[in-house]
Amino acid sequence: MNSLISPHILVVDDDPDLLELLRSYLGSNGFSVAVAADGVAMRAELAARAPDAIVLDLMLPGEDGLSLTRALRVSSQVPILMLSARGEELDRVIGLEVGADDYLAKPFGPRELLARLRALLRRGQTPVVVPQSAEPALARFGPYQLDTLGHRLFKDGAELSLTSAEYDLLAALVAHPNRVLSRDTLVDMLRGYDRDPFDRSIDNRVTRLRRKIEADPAAPTYIRTVRGEGYLFNPKGSDA
């Protein structure tokens, strides 16, 4: 995202009043805003201009938000803030599992949505700092190389697809090897604003990330669970 250009946000919701509210509010706060009422209109807007972030309602006519998120994640890592009128924990978990970066239950205050959007955009813009080395932009563990400038992960030279949320979590863990990080600590590192103490989004991210880097996600060696305390990143990927 170019800091000299207004961030472009695509808001997808079938409530015309909400679309107009967010178009006006986000526009008055320095954003360029496009709106869509369903998946068909969303794809037309995506073809016209790639957004810096998407605000996507879970319950849409026709193709719902979960299906649209899955489709987006095949070819794009654009940050997605998912909305849902139901606010059920299962909805939130599924939304994060399929690749959404954050979740906001309706009704919500426009200021909270603005804060979360800004946090998502900052995470996509600023790399997490890793310890200095001979190759300061490249952190290595096992067959993996984490490019902290390009926000990319490679395995034996081949790039792996990560969402921005998955990348941020991995970068935070890699920056603190062999140290137990509690869920609250990780929330503070990754979110930048207060969260529900029962929020399980960190656990969901860990689950998704393990599927991509662990030989056996059920018996992880890189990202270990320390019961009652949090998670520990072991760059050796072994019991040693």
Side-chain angles (χ1 to χ4, degrees), residues 3 13 49 79 92 96 101 124 134 147 150 179 196 204 228-229 238:
S3 60
D13 198 291
R49 180 179 177 184
R92 178 166 58 185
L96 294 169
D101 296 279
D147 177 358
R179 172 182 165 188
D196 182 337
N204 294 328
E229 296 186 43
S238 68

Side-chain angles (χ1 to χ4, degrees), residues 22-230:
L22 292 181
R23 188 206 300 266
S24 174
Y25 183 76
L26 294 176
S28 68
N29 281 278
F31 292 89
S32 164
V33 184
V35 299
D38 56 29
V40 173
M42 183 190 84
R43 287 189 169 91
E45 291 293 341
L46 289 172
R49 180 179 177 184
D52 294 295
I54 299 174
V55 178
L56 178 60
D57 189 29
L58 175 64
M59 303 299 293
L60 290 170
E63 196 171 3
D64 66 17
L66 295 178
S67 177
L68 291 169
T69 298
R70 288 192 189 94
L72 279 167
R73 284 295 175 248
V74 172
S75 59
S76 172
Q77 302 305 316
V78 60
I80 297 173
L81 172 58
M82 186 166 284
L83 307 177
S84 173
R86 295 186 299 193
E88 296 290 340
E89 181 179 3
L90 181 60
D91 291 336
R92 178 166 58 185
V93 169
I94 294 174
L96 294 169
E97 284 282 355
V98 299
D101 296 279
D102 199 4
Y103 187 102
L104 187 59
K106 296 179 180 179
F108 56 83
R111 290 180 64 184
E112 181 178 8
L113 182 139
L114 177 63
R116 295 195 182 202
L117 267 179
R118 284 174 171 165
L120 285 179
L121 292 169
R122 282 197 302 271
R123 293 207 300 274
Q125 191 175 36
T126 306
V128 177
V129 176
V130 298
Q132 293 295 313
S133 67
E135 294 180 285
L138 200 63
R140 300 178 185 275
F141 59 98
Y144 299 97
Q145 302 87 41
L146 185 69
D147 177 358
T148 60
L149 294 182
H151 287 206
R152 298 183 297 172
L153 177 67
F154 298 88
K155 180 179 182 182
D156 296 326
E159 185 172 359
L160 300 180
S161 175
L162 294 182
T163 66
S164 60
E166 291 163 356
Y167 168 83
D168 289 343
L169 173 61
L170 180 58
L173 292 168
V174 168
H176 300 86
N178 300 308
R179 172 182 165 188
V180 178
L181 300 177
S182 70
R183 290 175 179 82
D184 288 342
T185 296
L186 287 168
V187 166
D188 289 341
M189 288 180 177
L190 302 176
R191 292 293 186 181
Y193 48 82
D194 293 337
R195 296 289 287 174
D196 182 337
F198 298 104
D199 182 13
R200 309 304 291 179
S201 64
I202 294 296
D203 298 326
N204 294 328
R205 287 198 211 184
V206 168
T207 297
R208 285 158 41 194
L209 192 53
R210 281 173 171 166
R211 290 173 183 158
K212 295 184 177 182
I213 70 171
E214 301 283 2
D216 180 2
T221 58
Y222 289 112
I223 304 176
R224 299 180 179 179
T225 299
V226 180
R227 190 173 298 277
E229 296 186 43

